[in-house]
mmCIF file of all heavy atoms in Angstrom:
data_model
loop_
_atom_site.group_PDB
_atom_site.id
_atom_site.type_symbol
_atom_site.label_atom_id
_atom_site.label_comp_id
_atom_site.label_asym_id
_atom_site.label_seq_id
_atom_site.Cartn_x
_atom_site.Cartn_y
_atom_site.Cartn_z
ATOM 1 N N GLY G 1 187.296 -135.924 -16.943
ATOM 2 C CA GLY G 1 187.453 -137.373 -17.054
ATOM 3 C C GLY G 1 186.157 -138.119 -17.309
ATOM 4 O O GLY G 1 186.085 -139.322 -17.093
ATOM 5 N N GLN G 2 185.128 -137.414 -17.758
ATOM 6 C CA GLN G 2 183.845 -138.031 -18.039
ATOM 7 C C GLN G 2 183.584 -138.029 -19.539
ATOM 8 O O GLN G 2 184.185 -137.257 -20.278
ATOM 9 C CB GLN G 2 182.738 -137.291 -17.290
ATOM 10 C CG GLN G 2 182.927 -137.342 -15.781
ATOM 11 C CD GLN G 2 181.943 -136.443 -15.049
ATOM 12 O OE1 GLN G 2 181.046 -135.863 -15.643
ATOM 13 N NE2 GLN G 2 182.124 -136.330 -13.747
ATOM 14 N N GLU G 3 182.680 -138.900 -19.975
ATOM 15 C CA GLU G 3 182.339 -139.006 -21.386
ATOM 16 C C GLU G 3 181.471 -137.830 -21.825
ATOM 17 O O GLU G 3 180.590 -137.396 -21.079
ATOM 18 C CB GLU G 3 181.571 -140.304 -21.651
ATOM 19 C CG GLU G 3 182.406 -141.552 -21.520
ATOM 20 C CD GLU G 3 183.400 -141.703 -22.639
ATOM 21 O OE1 GLU G 3 183.046 -141.448 -23.802
ATOM 22 O OE2 GLU G 3 184.550 -142.075 -22.343
ATOM 23 N N ALA G 4 181.707 -137.338 -23.026
ATOM 24 C CA ALA G 4 180.882 -136.285 -23.624
ATOM 25 C C ALA G 4 181.146 -136.255 -25.116
ATOM 26 O O ALA G 4 182.259 -136.527 -25.559
ATOM 27 C CB ALA G 4 181.183 -134.928 -23.011
ATOM 28 N N TYR G 5 180.119 -135.937 -25.879
ATOM 29 C CA TYR G 5 180.262 -135.802 -27.326
ATOM 30 C C TYR G 5 180.651 -134.358 -27.637
ATOM 31 O O TYR G 5 179.995 -133.426 -27.185
ATOM 32 C CB TYR G 5 178.952 -136.160 -28.034
ATOM 33 C CG TYR G 5 178.999 -135.878 -29.506
ATOM 34 C CD1 TYR G 5 179.664 -136.732 -30.369
ATOM 35 C CD2 TYR G 5 178.414 -134.736 -30.034
ATOM 36 C CE1 TYR G 5 179.742 -136.467 -31.721
ATOM 37 C CE2 TYR G 5 178.480 -134.461 -31.394
ATOM 38 C CZ TYR G 5 179.142 -135.325 -32.215
ATOM 39 O OH TYR G 5 179.222 -135.059 -33.557
ATOM 40 N N ILE G 6 181.716 -134.181 -28.406
ATOM 41 C CA ILE G 6 182.133 -132.841 -28.810
ATOM 42 C C ILE G 6 181.601 -132.594 -30.218
ATOM 43 O O ILE G 6 182.031 -133.256 -31.163
ATOM 44 C CB ILE G 6 183.663 -132.683 -28.796
ATOM 45 C CG1 ILE G 6 184.182 -132.861 -27.379
ATOM 46 C CG2 ILE G 6 184.062 -131.324 -29.358
ATOM 47 C CD1 ILE G 6 185.677 -132.733 -27.251
ATOM 48 N N PRO G 7 180.652 -131.668 -30.356
ATOM 49 C CA PRO G 7 180.130 -131.405 -31.696
ATOM 50 C C PRO G 7 181.194 -130.761 -32.579
ATOM 51 O O PRO G 7 181.796 -129.770 -32.201
ATOM 52 C CB PRO G 7 178.952 -130.456 -31.458
ATOM 53 C CG PRO G 7 179.133 -129.924 -30.090
ATOM 54 C CD PRO G 7 180.005 -130.866 -29.340
ATOM 55 N N ASN G 8 181.419 -131.362 -33.726
ATOM 56 C CA ASN G 8 182.374 -130.800 -34.677
ATOM 57 C C ASN G 8 181.649 -130.373 -35.944
ATOM 58 O O ASN G 8 182.252 -130.161 -36.966
ATOM 59 C CB ASN G 8 183.483 -131.796 -34.998
ATOM 60 C CG ASN G 8 182.940 -133.076 -35.584
ATOM 61 O OD1 ASN G 8 181.733 -133.269 -35.667
ATOM 62 N ND2 ASN G 8 183.820 -133.975 -35.979
ATOM 63 N N PHE G 9 180.350 -130.295 -35.855
ATOM 64 C CA PHE G 9 179.528 -129.895 -36.991
ATOM 65 C C PHE G 9 178.683 -128.711 -36.549
ATOM 66 O O PHE G 9 178.335 -128.591 -35.386
ATOM 67 C CB PHE G 9 178.597 -131.032 -37.423
ATOM 68 C CG PHE G 9 177.651 -131.444 -36.324
ATOM 69 C CD1 PHE G 9 176.417 -130.854 -36.197
ATOM 70 C CD2 PHE G 9 178.013 -132.416 -35.416
ATOM 71 C CE1 PHE G 9 175.558 -131.211 -35.172
ATOM 72 C CE2 PHE G 9 177.156 -132.779 -34.389
ATOM 73 C CZ PHE G 9 175.927 -132.185 -34.272
ATOM 74 N N PHE G 10 178.393 -127.871 -37.461
ATOM 75 C CA PHE G 10 177.491 -126.765 -37.169
ATOM 76 C C PHE G 10 176.377 -126.776 -38.213
ATOM 77 O O PHE G 10 176.111 -125.802 -38.870
ATOM 78 C CB PHE G 10 178.236 -125.438 -37.167
ATOM 79 C CG PHE G 10 179.205 -125.274 -36.016
ATOM 80 C CD1 PHE G 10 180.049 -124.193 -35.973
ATOM 81 C CD2 PHE G 10 179.272 -126.175 -34.977
ATOM 82 C CE1 PHE G 10 180.954 -124.013 -34.927
ATOM 83 C CE2 PHE G 10 180.163 -126.016 -33.927
ATOM 84 C CZ PHE G 10 181.006 -124.928 -33.909
ATOM 85 N N CYS G 11 175.760 -127.955 -38.382
ATOM 86 C CA CYS G 11 174.698 -128.087 -39.378
ATOM 87 C C CYS G 11 173.407 -127.478 -38.843
ATOM 88 O O CYS G 11 173.219 -127.362 -37.646
ATOM 89 C CB CYS G 11 174.470 -129.551 -39.735
ATOM 90 S SG CYS G 11 173.919 -130.566 -38.374
ATOM 91 N N LYS G 12 172.538 -127.103 -39.748
ATOM 92 C CA LYS G 12 171.296 -126.462 -39.345
ATOM 93 C C LYS G 12 170.101 -127.391 -39.460
ATOM 94 O O LYS G 12 168.974 -126.967 -39.305
ATOM 95 C CB LYS G 12 171.057 -125.206 -40.179
ATOM 96 C CG LYS G 12 172.051 -124.109 -39.842
ATOM 97 C CD LYS G 12 171.646 -122.832 -40.494
ATOM 98 C CE LYS G 12 172.496 -121.701 -39.996
ATOM 99 N NZ LYS G 12 172.021 -120.427 -40.462
ATOM 100 N N ALA G 13 170.344 -128.647 -39.749
ATOM 101 C CA ALA G 13 169.265 -129.627 -39.821
ATOM 102 C C ALA G 13 169.727 -130.889 -39.106
ATOM 103 O O ALA G 13 170.910 -131.225 -39.110
ATOM 104 C CB ALA G 13 168.918 -129.945 -41.271
ATOM 105 N N TYR G 14 168.785 -131.594 -38.500
ATOM 106 C CA TYR G 14 169.111 -132.808 -37.756
ATOM 107 C C TYR G 14 169.619 -133.880 -38.711
ATOM 108 O O TYR G 14 169.040 -134.119 -39.760
ATOM 109 C CB TYR G 14 167.873 -133.318 -37.020
ATOM 110 C CG TYR G 14 168.114 -134.620 -36.299
ATOM 111 C CD1 TYR G 14 168.871 -134.655 -35.146
ATOM 112 C CD2 TYR G 14 167.601 -135.808 -36.795
ATOM 113 C CE1 TYR G 14 169.109 -135.835 -34.488
ATOM 114 C CE2 TYR G 14 167.826 -136.999 -36.141
ATOM 115 C CZ TYR G 14 168.581 -137.005 -34.989
ATOM 116 O OH TYR G 14 168.820 -138.190 -34.344
ATOM 117 N N ARG G 15 170.728 -134.491 -38.358
ATOM 118 C CA ARG G 15 171.277 -135.604 -39.124
ATOM 119 C C ARG G 15 171.446 -136.780 -38.172
ATOM 120 O O ARG G 15 172.257 -136.710 -37.249
ATOM 121 C CB ARG G 15 172.642 -135.245 -39.698
ATOM 122 C CG ARG G 15 172.601 -134.186 -40.744
ATOM 123 C CD ARG G 15 173.996 -133.944 -41.277
ATOM 124 N NE ARG G 15 174.014 -132.746 -42.078
ATOM 125 C CZ ARG G 15 175.104 -132.133 -42.464
ATOM 126 N NH1 ARG G 15 176.275 -132.600 -42.109
ATOM 127 N NH2 ARG G 15 175.032 -131.052 -43.191
ATOM 128 N N PRO G 16 170.702 -137.862 -38.399
ATOM 129 C CA PRO G 16 170.855 -139.010 -37.504
ATOM 130 C C PRO G 16 172.233 -139.648 -37.674
ATOM 131 O O PRO G 16 172.876 -139.499 -38.716
ATOM 132 C CB PRO G 16 169.745 -139.968 -37.946
ATOM 133 C CG PRO G 16 169.368 -139.530 -39.309
ATOM 134 C CD PRO G 16 169.695 -138.065 -39.414
ATOM 135 N N VAL G 17 172.681 -140.345 -36.665
ATOM 136 C CA VAL G 17 173.971 -141.016 -36.702
ATOM 137 C C VAL G 17 173.911 -142.135 -37.732
ATOM 138 O O VAL G 17 172.959 -142.907 -37.779
ATOM 139 C CB VAL G 17 174.320 -141.604 -35.318
ATOM 140 C CG1 VAL G 17 175.624 -142.375 -35.371
ATOM 141 C CG2 VAL G 17 174.389 -140.519 -34.274
ATOM 142 N N LEU G 18 174.922 -142.217 -38.565
ATOM 143 C CA LEU G 18 175.008 -143.273 -39.557
ATOM 144 C C LEU G 18 175.358 -144.568 -38.846
ATOM 145 O O LEU G 18 176.324 -144.632 -38.089
ATOM 146 C CB LEU G 18 176.082 -142.934 -40.591
ATOM 147 C CG LEU G 18 176.341 -143.964 -41.670
ATOM 148 C CD1 LEU G 18 175.081 -144.156 -42.526
ATOM 149 C CD2 LEU G 18 177.490 -143.527 -42.543
ATOM 150 N N TYR G 19 174.553 -145.607 -39.064
ATOM 151 C CA TYR G 19 174.805 -146.898 -38.443
ATOM 152 C C TYR G 19 175.468 -147.824 -39.438
ATOM 153 O O TYR G 19 174.963 -148.039 -40.533
ATOM 154 C CB TYR G 19 173.499 -147.521 -37.940
ATOM 155 C CG TYR G 19 173.726 -148.883 -37.318
ATOM 156 C CD1 TYR G 19 174.282 -148.986 -36.052
ATOM 157 C CD2 TYR G 19 173.431 -150.039 -38.017
ATOM 158 C CE1 TYR G 19 174.518 -150.214 -35.484
ATOM 159 C CE2 TYR G 19 173.665 -151.278 -37.460
ATOM 160 C CZ TYR G 19 174.208 -151.363 -36.188
ATOM 161 O OH TYR G 19 174.460 -152.583 -35.630
ATOM 162 N N ILE G 20 176.607 -148.364 -39.076
ATOM 163 C CA ILE G 20 177.317 -149.315 -39.920
ATOM 164 C C ILE G 20 177.278 -150.664 -39.217
ATOM 165 O O ILE G 20 177.808 -150.804 -38.112
ATOM 166 C CB ILE G 20 178.770 -148.870 -40.161
ATOM 167 C CG1 ILE G 20 178.785 -147.501 -40.831
ATOM 168 C CG2 ILE G 20 179.526 -149.915 -40.980
ATOM 169 C CD1 ILE G 20 180.150 -146.882 -40.953
ATOM 170 N N PRO G 21 176.640 -151.659 -39.845
ATOM 171 C CA PRO G 21 176.529 -152.965 -39.187
ATOM 172 C C PRO G 21 177.887 -153.652 -39.083
ATOM 173 O O PRO G 21 178.774 -153.440 -39.908
ATOM 174 C CB PRO G 21 175.585 -153.752 -40.099
ATOM 175 C CG PRO G 21 175.652 -153.067 -41.408
ATOM 176 C CD PRO G 21 175.983 -151.635 -41.135
ATOM 177 N N SER G 22 178.010 -154.492 -38.067
ATOM 178 C CA SER G 22 179.247 -155.245 -37.877
ATOM 179 C C SER G 22 179.309 -156.404 -38.873
ATOM 180 O O SER G 22 178.323 -156.741 -39.528
ATOM 181 C CB SER G 22 179.310 -155.796 -36.454
ATOM 182 O OG SER G 22 178.307 -156.794 -36.293
ATOM 183 N N LYS G 23 180.470 -157.013 -38.951
ATOM 184 C CA LYS G 23 180.667 -158.145 -39.856
ATOM 185 C C LYS G 23 179.695 -159.276 -39.505
ATOM 186 O O LYS G 23 179.128 -159.910 -40.392
ATOM 187 C CB LYS G 23 182.115 -158.614 -39.748
ATOM 188 C CG LYS G 23 182.542 -159.593 -40.796
ATOM 189 C CD LYS G 23 184.034 -159.862 -40.690
ATOM 190 C CE LYS G 23 184.489 -160.783 -41.790
ATOM 191 N NZ LYS G 23 185.928 -161.005 -41.761
ATOM 192 N N GLU G 24 179.496 -159.515 -38.217
ATOM 193 C CA GLU G 24 178.594 -160.575 -37.766
ATOM 194 C C GLU G 24 177.150 -160.268 -38.152
ATOM 195 O O GLU G 24 176.395 -161.160 -38.530
ATOM 196 C CB GLU G 24 178.704 -160.764 -36.249
ATOM 197 C CG GLU G 24 180.019 -161.381 -35.799
ATOM 198 C CD GLU G 24 181.204 -160.420 -35.881
ATOM 199 O OE1 GLU G 24 181.002 -159.199 -35.717
ATOM 200 O OE2 GLU G 24 182.319 -160.894 -36.140
ATOM 201 N N GLU G 25 176.756 -158.994 -38.060
ATOM 202 C CA GLU G 25 175.395 -158.610 -38.428
ATOM 203 C C GLU G 25 175.136 -158.783 -39.920
ATOM 204 O O GLU G 25 174.006 -159.027 -40.325
ATOM 205 C CB GLU G 25 175.114 -157.161 -38.009
ATOM 206 C CG GLU G 25 175.005 -156.968 -36.527
ATOM 207 C CD GLU G 25 174.897 -155.505 -36.143
ATOM 208 O OE1 GLU G 25 175.657 -154.682 -36.684
ATOM 209 O OE2 GLU G 25 174.052 -155.195 -35.287
ATOM 210 N N VAL G 26 176.166 -158.668 -40.725
ATOM 211 C CA VAL G 26 176.015 -158.858 -42.163
ATOM 212 C C VAL G 26 176.028 -160.352 -42.509
ATOM 213 O O VAL G 26 175.285 -160.805 -43.366
ATOM 214 C CB VAL G 26 177.129 -158.112 -42.935
ATOM 215 C CG1 VAL G 26 177.093 -158.437 -44.411
ATOM 216 C CG2 VAL G 26 177.000 -156.612 -42.712
ATOM 217 N N LYS G 27 176.854 -161.124 -41.809
ATOM 218 C CA LYS G 27 176.963 -162.557 -42.082
ATOM 219 C C LYS G 27 175.671 -163.308 -41.792
ATOM 220 O O LYS G 27 175.306 -164.229 -42.524
ATOM 221 C CB LYS G 27 178.094 -163.170 -41.256
ATOM 222 C CG LYS G 27 179.431 -163.077 -41.893
ATOM 223 C CD LYS G 27 180.443 -163.855 -41.066
ATOM 224 C CE LYS G 27 181.768 -163.921 -41.756
ATOM 225 N NZ LYS G 27 182.741 -164.690 -40.991
ATOM 226 N N GLU G 28 174.999 -162.945 -40.709
ATOM 227 C CA GLU G 28 173.796 -163.679 -40.293
ATOM 228 C C GLU G 28 172.726 -163.745 -41.387
ATOM 229 O O GLU G 28 172.280 -164.844 -41.748
ATOM 230 C CB GLU G 28 173.229 -163.070 -39.008
ATOM 231 C CG GLU G 28 172.060 -163.826 -38.463
ATOM 232 C CD GLU G 28 171.516 -163.182 -37.202
ATOM 233 O OE1 GLU G 28 172.256 -162.442 -36.528
ATOM 234 O OE2 GLU G 28 170.337 -163.428 -36.909
#
């Protein structure tokens, strides 16, 4: 019942998380 990230990738190089800005962040 606790939070955890389940890896579904088996990549061999670090890939940073893709950040998608919110609608408000784009409007400003």
Side-chain angles (χ1 to χ4, degrees):
Q2 299 172 6
E3 290 289 318
Y5 173 77
I6 297 180
N8 59 355
F9 61 90
F10 291 173
C11 63
K12 291 190 171 188
Y14 176 73
R15 293 182 192 166
V17 177
L18 178 63
Y19 179 76
I20 301 172
S22 68
K23 191 173 183 177
E24 290 74 31
E25 290 173 315
V26 173
K27 274 187 173 181
E28 184 181 337

